[in-house]
Amino acid sequence: MAASFSFYPITAATSGGQIEIAVLALWTASILAYEEGLVVFSAIALALATGLKITPIFAVPLFILWKDRRWLLTYAASVAALFAAMLAFNGAPTMAACFHYLRAMSASLPSLDNKCISAFVSLLGLGFTHRGLSDATRSVASAPLQFVARLTSFVFYAACLFLAWRNRRHAQSSARTQLFAIFILVAALTSPQTWRYGYAAALIPFALLWSGALERPVTRTRIALLVIASVAVATVVIDWTAGLRLPFLLSFTLAEIWTVSCVLLCLQVLANPQPSDPEPST
């Protein structure tokens, strides 16, 4: 409990009254239920999380790769039921306005607080154009820069799915749990807008990875990335330092340690899930 409240995104979400705390609970329920073989409960929990925040849908392709038809059918039925209930309660005009809002949020927003790949690319492009972060964060990325930002996010997500597909032979529930959990970080990084508090659910992969590192030997690369990402995300000290009056490259580097370390951690974990575990017999 003390560790969770020292995790900065959770304190930010709690103090700001954000829905991410409920999303964290549903992500946790879904992952734990899947590990215990409660496939239906896992799918329903993630469907509820998707109803609160669209980003959990990024984890759904994992179950396509694993050919888990029962999970997929339950998830699809649950999402359909949720949509029907929201449509009946809110009415068609409200739902149409909601989808219009979601489309508007698909644009990358250059900001030090926006911790995702598209914001990283937009800030980098605008920073060199405006020769400073202060002007860049007040600017809107051009259409070509928006395209590059979205393309970079897509390439990262595709790479994560490819790595998950390559390791689909891992049949152990613990291996799949790790892959399922790391897609919380993948979803946050791929989404066009993920503010600091949006990483509240990332407590799950960090907790699982640290628990695994304490229980079995892991590579030095994973430990280094895990330490850097944990410090960057959980403490936000480095990120706050970037807001000081510093040269552009230094400010940008400090601000984006959060994003870059999480990207590298995701790729490393997906490329080598539970590296010390023996390969399953064929």
Side-chain angles (χ1 to χ4, degrees):
M1 181 66 72
S4 64
F5 278 103
S6 66
F7 190 68
Y8 175 78
I10 288 185
T11 60
T14 303
S15 62
Q18 299 294 330
I19 198 65
E20 269 72 19
I21 301 303
V23 175
L24 165 62
L26 291 168
W27 265 108
T28 305
S30 182
I31 292 171
L32 292 178
Y34 194 76
E35 184 175 21
E36 295 297 323
L38 303 174
V39 176
V40 172
F41 185 85
S42 171
I44 293 174
L46 198 70
L48 291 172
T50 308
L52 296 176
K53 192 176 179 68
I54 195 66
T55 50
I57 202 172
F58 285 104
V60 174
L62 281 176
F63 299 91
I64 299 175
L65 297 178
W66 296 336
K67 298 180 179 179
D68 197 330
R69 296 180 180 85
R70 188 182 178 195
W71 191 99
L72 290 168
L73 288 173
T74 305
Y75 178 85
S78 301
V79 169
L82 280 172
F83 179 80
M86 288 188 289
L87 183 61
F89 182 80
N90 295 300
T94 301
M95 294 299 294
C98 179
F99 283 114
H100 177 75
Y101 177 71
L102 288 175
R103 286 197 298 270
M105 289 184 63
S106 65
S108 62
L109 185 62
S111 172
L112 294 178
D113 298 339
N114 192 6
K115 300 300 181 182
C116 62
I117 293 173
S118 59
F120 169 88
V121 174
S122 298
L123 271 176
L124 184 62
L126 288 172
F128 281 111
T129 302
H130 294 79
R131 300 184 180 278
L133 277 178
S134 58
D135 290 335
T137 55
R138 291 194 295 266
S139 303
V140 178
S142 62
L145 187 55
Q146 289 272 5
F147 174 78
V148 173
R150 290 172 178 171
L151 179 62
T152 306
S153 293
F154 174 79
V155 170
F156 167 73
Y157 184 64
C160 290
L161 287 179
F162 170 76
L163 292 173
W165 172 82
R166 194 184 68 175
N167 288 291
R168 68 193 184 284
R169 64 185 182 278
H170 287 273
Q172 310 99 317
S173 61
S174 57
R176 287 194 174 184
T177 298
Q178 187 181 95
L179 292 175
F180 191 4
I182 201 65
F183 261 72
I184 297 175
L185 272 178
V186 173
L189 292 163
T190 306
S191 175
Q193 294 186 31
T194 305
W195 308 107
R196 290 165 173 163
Y197 54 76
Y199 280 80
L203 177 66
I204 305 171
F206 279 117
L208 288 176
L209 290 173
W210 275 115
S211 176
L214 294 174
E215 292 175 356
R216 63 183 69 88
V218 294
T219 63
R220 292 181 179 178
T221 301
R222 177 171 297 192
I223 287 294
L225 290 174
L226 192 51
V227 168
I228 295 171
S230 297
V231 171
V233 176
T235 64
V236 90
V237 172
I238 298 175
D239 199 46
W240 279 347
T241 306
L244 302 176
R245 289 184 173 275
L246 300 171
F248 165 67
L249 282 178
L250 180 57
S251 295
F252 179 80
T253 300
L254 290 172
E256 297 306 325
I257 286 176
W258 181 320
T259 304
V260 173
S261 61
C262 286
V263 165
L264 295 177
L265 180 63
C266 288
L267 294 175
Q268 201 279 335
V269 171
L270 288 166
N272 304 284
Q274 297 188 321
S276 65
D277 286 356
E279 292 291 328
S281 59
T282 58

